[in-house]
Amino acid sequence: MKWAGDTISASDNASQVVVAIADAMTALSAAHKKCNIVHGNISDRAILLQMTADGVKGALAEFDYAAYANDSARAAHRDLPELKIFQSIRSLESAEAPRLPLDDWESLLYLVIFLGIYGISDQQREEFIRQLPDEEELCTELWITGGSVGVARLKRSAMNSYNDFVDYILNQMPAGPLRDLAEAIHQALFLHPGCAGASRQAGDIARARAGFLAANPNAEFIPPRELIDRLVLREDFVQEIVAALEHVLEVHRAIAVEAEAAAAPAAAAAA
């Protein structure tokens, strides 16, 4: 066997990391489609980066929690503090939630956000934390320290609309390839016209049910589509959403490769 590369934290180059992420997710998307496999553990340890004669290549590792789609998630995995920040909303809310390919894509978004805010390499992260004012609290810190259900609630709030995403997430990320990629993934994953947002209007559904049954005590209450959990509605558009996500990675990979090629002469001269 041959090791496929180092984890992305061994790099400090955002363009290289974008290429590695795109390659890894291309492979995972093929596993989703051909083998019905969900990875379940997309994190900064799972994406590998290798420098080759042809440039940067990416691969995927850490298949410890891989399972067939629609199997239940593992409760122990859901509660691991170091991985909570990367877990999808529905897997955080319930250990019995079915494993779905979009959970892996959602984890990818949280990984890109984590890298963009905290830094790619260990050195960058240490420097970021050192310079962070004591009184400043990042929304994403609670994604690490909070309980599973609480973290899921915070993620729903941050992902529910473009404006929320800007306020909670993008404003914390410096300009660059990772910020651009996070914005594009969020749009494709959460803002599809048929299921835009991440809200779950449980209170609205309860009130609608109570009002309906008060007037129609013997009738069956069927929640209006606009009140159903948007993440459930999203399952009706999986193929369209995945196609959009694959296109996002293809475009951003090409931009990153071009940036790497442009930077190569300057790097060679400096060396």
Side-chain angles (χ1 to χ4, degrees), residues 16 32 45 92 104 123 126 134 157 192 201 213 217 219 221 236 247 261:
Q16 291 178 357
H32 288 159
R45 301 180 309 201
L92 284 168
D104 282 344
Q123 182 178 355
E126 290 172 4
D134 293 338
S157 296
H192 185 281
Q201 298 108 324
L213 293 179
F221 174 74
D236 294 341
H247 179 68

Side-chain angles (χ1 to χ4, degrees), residues 67 70-78 87 90-92 94-99 103:
N70 295 315
D71 284 355
S72 295
R74 297 187 188 180
H77 177 44
R78 181 174 67 108
Q87 292 302 289
R90 296 188 69 195
S91 64
L92 284 168
S94 171
E96 301 305 317
R99 304 277 290 277
D103 290 324

Side-chain angles (χ1 to χ4, degrees), residues 92-270:
L92 284 168
E93 289 175 337
S94 171
E96 301 305 317
R99 304 277 290 277
L100 301 171
L102 289 183
D103 290 324
D104 282 344
W105 285 102
E106 191 176 332
S107 290
L108 174 68
L109 173 58
Y110 303 139
L111 171 60
V112 174
I113 291 168
F114 172 77
L115 296 173
I117 292 178
Y118 290 93
I120 301 166
S121 67
D122 293 336
Q123 182 178 355
Q124 287 177 335
R125 293 171 195 172
E126 290 172 4
E127 181 66 15
F128 171 79
I129 293 172
R130 187 181 67 80
Q131 295 184 357
L132 192 67
D134 293 338
E135 67 277 6
E136 185 171 347
E137 184 176 61
L138 300 175
C139 167
T140 47
E141 286 184 34
L142 297 175
W143 292 7
I144 301 172
T145 60
S148 295
V149 175
V151 173
R153 188 181 304 115
L154 290 169
K155 287 182 176 181
R156 279 190 184 268
S157 296
M159 300 297 137
N160 193 47
S161 71
Y162 178 73
N163 289 337
D164 289 336
F165 188 68
V166 170
D167 290 342
Y168 285 107
I169 304 300
L170 288 188
N171 285 344
Q172 297 180 20
M173 300 180 71
L178 292 171
R179 187 185 194 276
D180 295 341
L181 181 58
E183 183 175 13
I185 292 174
H186 174 262
Q187 180 172 354
L189 185 58
F190 284 99
L191 301 183
H192 185 281
C195 52
S199 64
R200 181 182 59 184
Q201 298 108 324
D204 291 339
I205 290 178
R207 285 188 289 273
R209 177 185 289 109
F212 177 82
L213 293 179
N216 308 275
N218 297 318
E220 178 185 2
F221 174 74
I222 300 176
R225 181 177 173 84
E226 64 270 15
L227 294 184
I228 297 175
D229 185 347
R230 302 293 170 81
L231 301 188
V232 173
L233 293 179
R234 190 171 67 178
E235 296 171 21
D236 294 341
F237 305 95
V238 170
Q239 292 184 350
E240 296 173 32
I241 292 172
V242 169
L245 288 163
E246 290 173 338
H247 179 68
V248 163
L249 289 184
E250 181 181 352
V251 168
H252 285 262
R253 187 189 193 283
I255 293 171
V257 168
E258 186 176 340
E260 274 290 282

